[in-house]
Amino acid sequence: YSVDLRKVFALTQPQAVAQAFVSGHVPAGMTSSGTGYSGDPSAGFVSFGWRKPPGGIYSANLVVTIVPAARGGGSLLRADAQVMWYPPRSAAELVRPDRFRAVTVVVSRYGRTARTARRTFTARSVIAKLARLFNGLPGEPSATFHCPVISASYRVTFDPALAGQPPIVMQPTGCLSVYVTVGGRAQPTLFGGADVISAISRLVS
């Protein structure tokens, strides 16, 4: 934390003053992401998030907790940092376009107008584009995400050009998770997929 916390420790003011001080001193490269009180009404907090995490990092956060000092009327502070990174992908789920002869896209939409669209493409440009989109996805971080209402399911199958090579099946969920199987074996889940879903939707429309 870039602010000299000794200035806050030296305050003989109540907790609210210390909390306002920390809130007004956003660390370089970060942005304020919230302030308030935890389950204990005497424990206030100020949180910051890294504005643009470097490659490989999903998020980086700093939480400063402020409580009244037992003596002297000042405040005590505790700073906690949390960094979440993207886990590595498996080598098996890397899609090499030249190893596949076709890609099959299936989109099933739910609701009153439920329908399923299925198309198979052999054009090298389509195979390469979908491969590039999937290859650009990172591994899914260990985090909790809020999902929108999911109105469709998506499945993309890369059909191998040679016998003995395993097919790769990608299933973007619309909830940031992309499930992958290679030759029927589950691989680490990928993260994102909005661009993939947009491309798939255009292909079957």
Side-chain angles (χ1 to χ4, degrees):
Y1 189 51
S2 60
V3 174
D4 187 353
L5 293 180
R6 290 173 296 180
K7 295 180 180 178
V8 186
F9 278 105
L11 290 174
T12 57
Q13 301 294 328
Q15 172 201 26
V17 174
Q19 189 165 341
F21 177 89
V22 174
S23 298
H25 292 76
V26 181
M30 305 192 83
T31 181
S32 177
S33 57
T35 181
Y37 293 86
S38 62
D40 182 349
S42 66
F45 70 87
V46 179
S47 60
F48 306 98
W50 205 342
R51 187 178 295 109
K52 293 182 179 180
I57 301 297
Y58 169 67
S59 68
N61 301 286
L62 174 68
V63 178
V64 181
T65 304
I66 307 106
V67 298
R71 298 179 182 179
S75 300
L76 298 176
L77 288 87
R78 168 176 164 167
D80 293 280
Q82 180 188 59
V83 178
M84 299 179 66
W85 56 88
Y86 296 109
R89 296 176 45 145
S90 69
E93 61 193 350
L94 178 66
V95 183
R96 302 181 185 277
D98 59 318
R99 295 186 178 182
F100 299 92
R101 63 178 179 80
V103 60
T104 299
V105 177
V106 180
V107 178
S108 297
R109 303 194 182 279
Y110 313 134
R112 294 183 178 179
T113 58
R115 63 185 180 87
T116 296
R118 176 190 180 97
R119 292 192 63 185
T120 297
F121 302 89
T122 57
R124 305 311 305 171
S125 58
V126 175
I127 298 173
K129 179 177 181 178
L130 291 178
R132 183 172 63 254
L133 290 173
F134 281 117
N135 290 340
L137 298 177
E140 183 177 61
S142 178
T144 300
F145 308 103
H146 298 285
C147 298
V149 175
I150 297 176
S151 59
S153 64
Y154 307 88
R155 182 184 179 94
V156 178
T157 302
F158 291 90
D159 301 313
L162 299 176
Q165 291 183 346
I168 297 179
V169 179
M170 304 279 197
Q171 293 178 275
T173 64
C175 190
L176 301 178
S177 297
V178 179
Y179 300 112
V180 185
T181 59
V182 179
R185 295 185 177 183
Q187 302 297 314
T189 304
L190 304 182
F191 180 72
D195 290 342
V196 175
I197 289 176
S198 295
I200 293 171
S201 299
R202 288 193 296 270
L203 287 172
V204 300
S205 60

